[in-house]
Amino acid sequence: MSKKLEDDKAIEHRVDRPRVAKCMDCTCFNLRKATRAITQLYDESLRPTGLRATQFSLLIAIMILESVTVTRLAEIAVMDRTTLTRNLRPLEKKGLIKVVSGDDQRTRIVTLTTHGKEVLAKALPLWEKAQARVIKRLGQERWNSLQADLGEVVSLVNKS
């Protein structure tokens, strides 16, 4: 038997189909799949505003907090600072947010601009309609349970 065939058989033994099939129940895989599906629904709903669901969520957080450091916003969004900064750039280029230096040169403060508030005002009814659609399809009780379960999943990061 050739060396390559022997190596292939050894690998197949370690990654046999029944063992690999269990990976389809992977929490990460299924949460990411659900996230992609729900993101598509919200992206489609928000399309008239030019916002994506991820951008809408960041704008909402900034609006609620009024003025927030990049570090704090990254913590709230459970994102690393580099990814958040990359996600904030298009919002800043569109004039929806302003990012300025804080008291400390290392600190960056994010605020919503007037234009950002106007775009949010247009996006909010579209989001409400998408949210109502999701809740109606799931049912209020299942939606409440999902919210609680997702909160627990997020808290796993802080407990490990």
Side-chain angles (χ1 to χ4, degrees):
M1 188 180 315
S2 76
K3 174 75 171 133
K4 170 131 175 55
L5 192 56
E6 285 178 22
D7 289 346
D8 285 350
K9 288 208 178 280
I11 290 170
E12 282 182 30
H13 178 72
R14 291 192 316 247
V15 290
D16 62 274
R17 286 202 185 278
R19 184 175 178 199
V20 171
K22 291 178 185 175
C23 294
M24 295 304 291
D25 292 333
C26 172
T27 305
C28 183
F29 173 77
N30 283 291
L31 281 172
R32 290 180 65 83
K33 185 168 71 169
T35 298
R36 285 189 297 274
I38 205 74
T39 298
Q40 288 171 10
L41 184 148
Y42 282 87
D43 280 349
E44 184 60 35
S45 296
L46 294 168
R47 189 176 314 272
T49 67
L51 290 177
R52 300 192 54 106
T54 51
Q55 295 172 324
F56 176 82
S57 297
L58 289 174
L59 292 178
I60 289 295
I62 296 164
M63 176 77 183
I64 289 169
L65 298 167
E66 295 180 7
S67 179
V68 62
T69 66
V70 170
T71 300
R72 180 68 183 129
L73 188 56
E75 289 168 358
I76 290 166
V78 191
M79 299 172 88
D80 64 76
R81 283 178 46 106
T82 304
T83 302
L84 176 62
T85 299
R86 202 170 40 249
N87 280 280
L88 292 176
R89 273 191 211 116
L91 298 174
E92 190 174 19
K93 284 181 183 174
K94 290 179 183 180
L96 303 176
I97 63 168
K98 187 167 61 170
V99 182
V100 297
S101 294
D103 296 335
D104 175 347
Q105 285 296 341
R106 297 171 296 174
T107 304
R108 309 287 288 158
I109 308 293
V110 184
T111 56
L112 210 56
T113 64
T114 301
H115 180 56
K117 291 175 186 174
E118 290 169 352
V119 170
L120 263 185
K122 292 176 186 172
L124 198 54
L126 301 172
W127 174 86
E128 289 169 332
K129 193 173 182 179
Q131 183 77 351
R133 179 178 166 195
V134 170
I135 294 170
K136 182 178 180 183
R137 294 285 305 270
L138 286 175
Q140 187 69 50
E141 190 174 320
R142 278 180 64 202
W143 183 83
N144 290 342
S145 179
L146 176 63
Q147 290 297 99
D149 291 344
L150 291 173
E152 284 295 315
V153 169
V154 171
S155 74
L156 288 174
V157 173
N158 299 325
K159 291 180 181 176
S160 52

